[in-house]
């Protein structure tokens, strides 16, 4: 909603939490007036994306595997879930069925479709689903380096990194490398 902010912090584990008790941050909620934070969820929710209907996409974290590891398939890889921000309606639906790494889900501007990164083709690439549970379409087809840092703007522009560079992409278009120029002084004291 527009009245609260969610953030992650490793403050206090819920007594009902059955996860390993060290290293997993909880999700906390604070209102915009700055009152005391309350526990939103003790689950290890990462990369949370919320649409206007209060539907929440997130990736889980169920182990200590290095987040930069590539070409990894096991029960400890991250999965994508759909849930709700309204605690009274909250359920948890796993969106992938394989043991590949899935991460960084973000809603498209329409709040129905979403994008995410997946390693199901052996390299982390960008995918899109028209809605949770729908068939997924692979958008990028890179083979050597993983796609990382996915975001989607309100106008539908997709941005991600690949092979040390930033790219933007319009739906049904081709990735365009972002030219970045960094100007520096020749002063060695800086």
């Amino acid at each position: 909603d527009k009245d609260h902010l969610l953030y992650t912090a490793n403050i206090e584990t819920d007594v009902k939490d059955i996860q390993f008790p060290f290293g997993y941050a909880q999700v906390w909620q604070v209102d915009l007036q700055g009152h005391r934070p309350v526990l939103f969820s003790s689950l290890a929710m990462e990369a949370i994306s919320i649409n206007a209907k209060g539907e929440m996409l997130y990736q889980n974290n169920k182990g200590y595997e290095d987040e930069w590891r590539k070409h990894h398939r096991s029960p400890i890889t991250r999965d994508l879930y759909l849930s709700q921000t309204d605690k009274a309606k909250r359920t948890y639906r796993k969106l992938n069925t394989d043991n590949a790494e899935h991460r960084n889900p973000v809603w498209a501007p329409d709040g129905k479709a979403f994008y995410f990164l997946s390693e199901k083709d052996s390299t982390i690439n960008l995918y899109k689903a028209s809605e949770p549970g729908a068939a997924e379409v692979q958008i990028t087809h890179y083979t050597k380096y993983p796609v990382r840092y996915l975001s989607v703007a309100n106008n539908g522009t997709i941005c991600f990194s690949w092979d040390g560079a930033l790219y933007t992409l319009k739906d049904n278009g081709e990735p365009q490398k972002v030219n970045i120029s960094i100007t520096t002084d020749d002063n060695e004291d800086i």
Side-chain angles (χ1 to χ4, degrees), residues 23-169:
Y24 295 109
Q26 305 85 37
V27 181
W28 295 85
Q29 176 178 295
V30 65
D31 62 35
L32 298 182
Q33 290 73 42
H35 293 101
R36 187 175 188 89
V38 296
L39 182 64
F40 179 82
S41 176
S42 62
L43 291 175
M45 298 173 153
E46 299 176 339
I48 296 172
S49 181
I50 302 170
N51 68 11
K53 295 189 292 184
E55 295 173 315
M56 178 173 52
L57 294 168
Y58 69 93
Q59 72 188 33
N60 69 348
N61 184 353
K62 50 195 169 192
Y64 293 110
E65 188 58 57
D66 183 347
E67 69 177 301
W68 304 114
R69 183 174 178 181
K70 300 178 285 193
H71 314 297
H72 174 217
R73 287 183 172 263
S74 79
I76 208 141
T77 54
R78 290 165 179 83
D79 298 310
L80 302 182
Y81 281 83
L82 173 68
S83 189
Q84 296 75 30
T85 55
D86 183 346
K87 194 171 188 173
K89 298 178 185 175
R90 194 167 302 156
T91 59
Y92 301 91
R93 178 177 158 203
K94 185 177 174 184
L95 299 178
N96 59 289
T97 57
D98 58 19
N99 64 353
E101 183 82 1
H102 300 277
R103 51 178 36 212
N104 206 178
V106 290
W107 290 106
D110 69 4
K112 296 176 187 169
F114 69 98
Y115 299 92
F116 62 98
L117 304 178
S118 176
E119 197 169 32
K120 63 177 150 185
D121 73 340
S122 78
T123 300
I124 298 175
N125 272 293
L126 174 61
Y127 288 78
K128 180 181 181 181
S130 60
E131 62 183 35
E136 302 157 352
V137 176
Q138 187 173 350
I139 297 175
T140 61
H141 299 272
Y142 299 122
T143 57
K144 190 170 182 182
Y145 303 108
V147 174
R148 305 266 193 208
Y149 305 112
L150 175 63
S151 64
V152 178
N154 289 338
N155 68 1
T157 301
I158 301 164
C159 185
F160 59 89
S161 73
W162 178 76
D163 190 20
L166 293 177
Y167 289 82
T168 58
L169 171 68

Side-chain angles (χ1 to χ4, degrees), residues 6-27:
L6 295 180
Y7 66 95
T8 57
N10 198 351
I11 297 173
E12 179 181 0
T13 305
D14 188 324
V15 296
K16 296 180 258 177
D17 189 349
I18 62 171
Q19 297 176 109
F20 188 73
F22 176 74
Y24 295 109
Q26 305 85 37
V27 181

Side-chain angles (χ1 to χ4, degrees), residues 163-180:
D163 190 20
L166 293 177
Y167 289 82
T168 58
L169 171 68
K170 294 285 189 178
D171 208 9
N172 299 319
E174 291 295 318
Q176 301 297 312
K177 187 174 181 179
V178 176
N179 291 318
I180 298 175

